[in-house]
Amino acid sequence: MHIHQTVIFRHKPVIIGSYSIVGPKEGKGNFGPYFNYVMKDDCFGENTYEKAEKKMIQSAIVGAIENAKIKPNDINLMLAGDLLNQIISSSYAARYFNFAYLGLFGACSTIAESLAVGASLVDGGEFDTVVCSTASHFSTAERQFRFPLELGNQRPPTSQWTVTGAGACVIANEGNGPRITMATFGKVIDWGIKDVNNMGAAMAPAAMETMIAHFKDTDTTPDDYDLIVTGDLGKLGSEILIDLMEDNGYKLGINYKDCGQMFYTRNQNTLCGGSGCGCSASVLNSFLIKKLREGEYKKILFMPTGALMSTTATQQGETIPGVCHAIVLESDVNSDQIKENKKRRNKKV
Amino acid sequence: MDNELKKRNEAYNKYVKAKIPKTKAWPSLFNSFIVGGIICCLGQGINDLILYWFPNMAQQTAWAYTLIVLIFLASFLTGIGVYDKIGKFAGGGSIVPITGFSNSITSSALEFKHEGIIYGICVKMFTIAGPVIVTGVVASIAVGIIYLFI
């Protein structure tokens, strides 16, 4: 069933397995202890960074399938995307698997796009089990969008650090885990920002549009969610989003957070925070899903944003369009189980 | 309608511009002055040393050798991953001297070495330094023509 941009799932597809891989710098960041695997070096045993990124998607998918306790043959479809031209990391990783593949591109919002599409397909009964994955790598993104790694230049204060990370999750029509209850597909929004080093400002209007569309379609308010989390608006972008929402009559309180802003510690010198497909994907598949499984968060509005830009278009003087897709994740843990979990944790301490 | 969108975009750009964190001008200027100054002193030192060891060398030739040494040093520091750290601290101070030029070529060559010697290193080597070379050549042509008439 859908209302305007929002799909409300009848059967509420379940995330039965998840897995996250990050680079060494990310492992030292704020979410370090939550990731399933922290790479020892950025190359991940390969000779180029592009190959490393491909291997990260591969390993994340294998890990998610293991985590879901199913066989690779049970997977019907793979939905994946990344930041590189022609989404090579995803497509090349798909060579190693024996399932149907759909490549997606929503820049940094790809994880939500793949989850929303995957959940729709599963909910409609078209597929039983779907795997969604995205990845980004600092070194491959720098080379494609910016400068060589060893160039001695300074980064502007609005710039963000592309996260080296990958995440994958398995969606099925039944099982245990957090449930995807709604998805809001976003429009492409462009408010005329040209600065490629200020992606937060370029994407914030898209986040605003999708958020308002979601609240209107589902008749909810920000207070109905335990956590509203955007993908990689960064420090500046999330401040802008709060202002924009306020202009539209919505107050984002302490339950609003941004993955990019939280990702790195203050001493890691990432200026406005993390960005990239891997940013929201790795946080979702580690921290957020863990908290949902434990029942600490009951209802999350997860809405990664993407700046749909290319270096060619930017050099031709085009402004940067942004997009944002939102999904609602609900915990399947009831209050008794939460109490039990808390007791168990207290005993450990 | 179109006008309205334009107005909205302009207003938004203005709002964002006001919100952007500003770079602190004085500390950055100070850092680049110090590092740039050190690089220049180093150049002068190398020049003096060359002239000290080879007293019969013409000043012009000594300058050429000084440049070669500086270019090598910057290139070497880029290769071992130190120059980008200096650059992060110094900004313009390490970009403007000839060492910055050397760094821009070496870093591009390093970055694209996996695409092969011809399509990687040779093609991409001048992606950043290219505009500098073109400007230099064009400027020298212009100056040459002016010189011809005066």
Side-chain angles (χ1 to χ4, degrees):
Chain A
M1 189 177 78
H2 81 97
I3 311 163
H4 301 299
Q5 286 166 255
T6 306
V7 183
I8 296 166
F9 298 121
R10 276 158 300 183
H11 307 296
K12 298 177 181 169
V14 194
I15 298 179
I16 55 169
S18 63
Y19 197 80
S20 56
I21 296 178
V22 292
K25 180 173 175 136
E26 287 69 23
K28 290 188 192 110
N30 289 325
F31 294 108
Y34 292 98
F35 297 122
N36 294 90
Y37 185 79
V38 177
M39 287 151 42
K40 283 181 193 72
D41 67 300
D42 274 339
C43 275
F44 207 13
E46 298 285 333
N47 59 355
T48 72
Y49 295 123
E50 280 76 9
K51 286 180 187 166
E53 190 175 320
K54 181 202 73 192
K55 196 175 163 188
M56 279 158 60
I57 292 199
Q58 236 173 288
S59 316
I61 290 176
V62 171
I65 292 172
E66 265 176 29
N67 184 255
K69 298 193 181 68
I70 54 170
K71 289 188 215 87
N73 284 341
D74 297 336
I75 304 278
N76 307 128
L77 178 71
M78 163 180 170
L79 297 160
D82 55 86
L83 289 178
L84 298 186
N85 291 339
Q86 289 82 40
I87 52 170
I88 50 168
S89 306
S90 311
S91 310
Y92 285 25
R95 291 184 299 196
Y96 295 91
F97 298 108
N98 194 21
F99 15 89
Y101 163 73
L102 274 182
L104 302 169
F105 182 78
C108 317
S109 71
T110 313
I111 188 69
E113 189 181 350
S114 62
L115 280 170
V117 172
S120 305
L121 291 171
V122 169
D123 191 59
E126 267 39 85
F127 291 95
D128 292 329
T129 318
V130 168
V131 63
C132 303
S133 178
T134 57
S136 61
H137 196 298
F138 172 74
S139 307
T140 59
E142 273 309 283
R143 173 218 280 255
Q144 184 175 305
F145 294 105
R146 290 168 207 109
F147 294 114
L149 293 176
E150 296 298 333
L151 185 73
N153 61 336
Q154 281 176 329
R155 305 163 72 84
T158 50
S159 69
Q160 286 168 269
W161 190 277
T162 308
V163 168
T164 303
C169 43
V170 180
I171 310 174
N173 46 13
E174 51 194 27
N176 292 323
R179 288 177 174 270
I180 303 173
T181 54
M182 291 180 240
T184 303
F185 292 86
K187 295 177 192 167
V188 173
I189 305 292
D190 188 339
W191 279 23
I193 295 288
K194 277 190 176 176
D195 184 3
V196 286
N197 284 311
N198 192 0
M199 308 242 266
M203 297 187 292
M208 179 202 77
E209 288 275 347
T210 305
M211 206 184 259
I212 292 173
H214 179 82
F215 290 147
K216 279 193 177 150
D217 292 352
T218 61
D219 202 17
T220 49
T221 61
D223 291 336
D224 293 327
Y225 298 93
D226 292 334
L227 187 70
I228 297 171
V229 59
T230 47
D232 56 353
L233 290 177
K235 202 167 151 240
L236 180 70
S238 47
E239 277 171 21
I240 293 175
L241 178 63
I242 291 171
D243 286 359
L244 289 177
M245 290 304 285
E246 203 180 278
D247 294 345
N248 284 282
Y250 291 95
K251 191 97 186 127
L252 292 180
I254 47 163
N255 62 344
Y256 168 67
K257 290 277 184 290
D258 182 74
C259 296
Q261 190 185 0
M262 293 188 289
F263 208 95
Y264 294 103
T265 59
R266 199 165 54 89
N267 298 331
Q268 282 180 311
N269 285 332
T270 53
L271 302 160
C272 266
S275 71
C277 296
C279 178
S280 42
S282 58
V283 174
L284 172 75
N285 288 298
S286 56
F287 180 76
L288 294 177
I289 285 187
K290 186 172 185 279
K291 293 288 172 196
L292 282 165
R293 277 184 185 156
E294 286 172 357
E296 207 154 308
Y297 290 132
K298 302 270 308 160
K299 198 176 180 188
I300 292 181
L301 177 62
F302 176 68
M303 36 190 315
T305 46
L308 304 168
M309 53 131 190
S310 93
T311 39
T312 314
T314 315
Q315 281 162 4
Q316 289 176 1
E318 282 270 14
T319 51
I320 305 168
V323 72
C324 174
H325 305 290
I327 54 169
V328 177
L329 297 161
E330 279 181 43
S331 173
D332 67 336
V333 185
N334 57 36
S335 49
D336 294 342
Q337 278 169 305
I338 297 170
K339 275 178 200 161
E340 224 168 83
N341 280 344
K342 267 188 187 163
K343 262 187 211 164
R344 212 180 301 152
R345 215 177 309 139
N346 287 344
K347 265 183 199 170
K348 266 186 202 167
V349 174
Chain B
M1 189 64 195
D2 230 22
N3 223 357
E4 232 169 70
L5 285 183
K6 221 178 170 182
K7 247 186 208 163
R8 180 201 65 188
N9 288 359
E10 270 169 19
Y12 182 62
N13 267 293
K14 215 171 144 191
Y15 156 79
V16 169
K17 214 175 167 189
K19 208 160 170 80
I20 286 176
K22 303 278 175 298
T23 353
K24 287 176 194 123
W26 287 111
S28 331
L29 281 174
F30 181 75
N31 288 352
S32 43
F33 173 74
I34 291 291
V35 176
I38 290 173
I39 293 172
C40 294
C41 291
L42 190 75
Q44 188 61 46
I46 293 166
N47 189 47
D48 290 353
L49 263 182
I50 291 172
L51 283 176
Y52 176 73
W53 283 330
F54 309 99
N56 295 332
M57 191 182 272
Q59 179 66 56
Q60 291 269 340
T61 329
W63 281 338
Y65 280 111
T66 309
L67 292 182
I68 290 170
V69 173
L70 281 176
I71 288 170
F72 168 77
L73 277 179
S75 195
F76 180 74
L77 289 177
T78 307
I80 59 169
V82 175
Y83 203 88
D84 61 319
K85 293 192 178 76
I86 301 174
K88 212 181 202 175
F89 173 77
S94 60
I95 293 175
V96 176
I98 198 159
T99 49
F101 188 71
S102 164
N103 166 251
S104 69
I105 291 178
T106 319
S107 60
S108 306
L110 266 178
E111 186 80 19
F112 292 96
K113 66 176 183 205
H114 289 296
E115 278 75 31
I117 292 173
I118 294 174
Y119 292 108
I121 297 176
C122 298
V123 172
K124 304 280 188 177
M125 198 180 225
F126 296 102
T127 43
I128 294 164
V132 184
I133 298 174
V134 173
T135 319
V137 171
V138 171
S140 59
I141 292 171
V143 171
I145 290 171
I146 295 166
Y147 189 70
L148 194 69
F149 291 108
I150 51 171

